[in-house]
Amino acid sequence: MYSLVIGVLVVFAIAILVLAMNMSERTQGVYTRETAEYQAAVAERISPVGQVSLPGEAPQPAPPAAEQAEPEPAAAASMTGPEVYNSACLACHATGAGGAPIVGDAAQWTDRIAKGADVLYDHAINGFDGDAITPMLPKGGRMDLSDQEIRDAVDHMISESS
């Protein structure tokens, strides 16, 4: 019985070896050290960032960098007020973290709404160091949002809290 188990394991190991060799033959030709693509990638990784010039020596011109065309930035679709609220404002204004007024709690929002929407817009866009434990970050920490998206989020919070 012992010899049978050893024999099965040897056959299984040989099968795995043959399969591994077959797979390596199929994949090694894709990206090997001899290809121009691999050589260019290595040359780019090990190229010097700059050169040191000692006093009295003329600085050596830097080798020309390979210019790569930067992709055009995709036009980001504008988010709605509720989308901005859910992605940026929810963390603080749903829980009251850091003293933020909770959306839907009219008592916390009455005085703020009385100051006017323009003041709330300004505080949301530029930040506010009020009496809260943690100050309101400009744009809620999401500097990628436009001013209009922030205004839409403020309007959403006002409508939910008044």
Side-chain angles (χ1 to χ4, degrees), residues 85 89 92-94 100-116 120 124 136 153-162:
Y85 171 76
C89 312
C92 297
H93 287 284
I102 298 174
V103 172
D105 187 346
Q108 291 182 354
W109 283 90
T110 304
D111 293 339
R112 290 173 173 86
I113 293 172
K115 292 178 183 177
L120 294 176
M136 169 69 192
V154 170
D155 289 339
H156 170 72
M157 289 190 277
I158 289 172
S159 68
E160 293 292 318
S161 301
S162 53

Side-chain angles (χ1 to χ4, degrees), residues 29-63:
V30 176
Y31 195 69
T32 61
R33 292 182 194 177
E34 290 79 28
T35 62
E37 179 185 18
Y38 181 85
Q39 294 294 327
V42 169
E44 182 180 343
R45 284 194 304 266
I46 65 172
S47 66
V49 177
Q51 286 187 299
V52 176
S53 296
L54 298 175
E57 290 182 358
Q60 298 292 325

Side-chain angles (χ1 to χ4, degrees), residues 92-93 96-101 112 128-137:
C92 297
H93 287 284
R112 290 173 173 86
F128 180 65
D129 290 332
D131 58 352
I133 299 167
T134 305
M136 169 69 192
L137 296 174

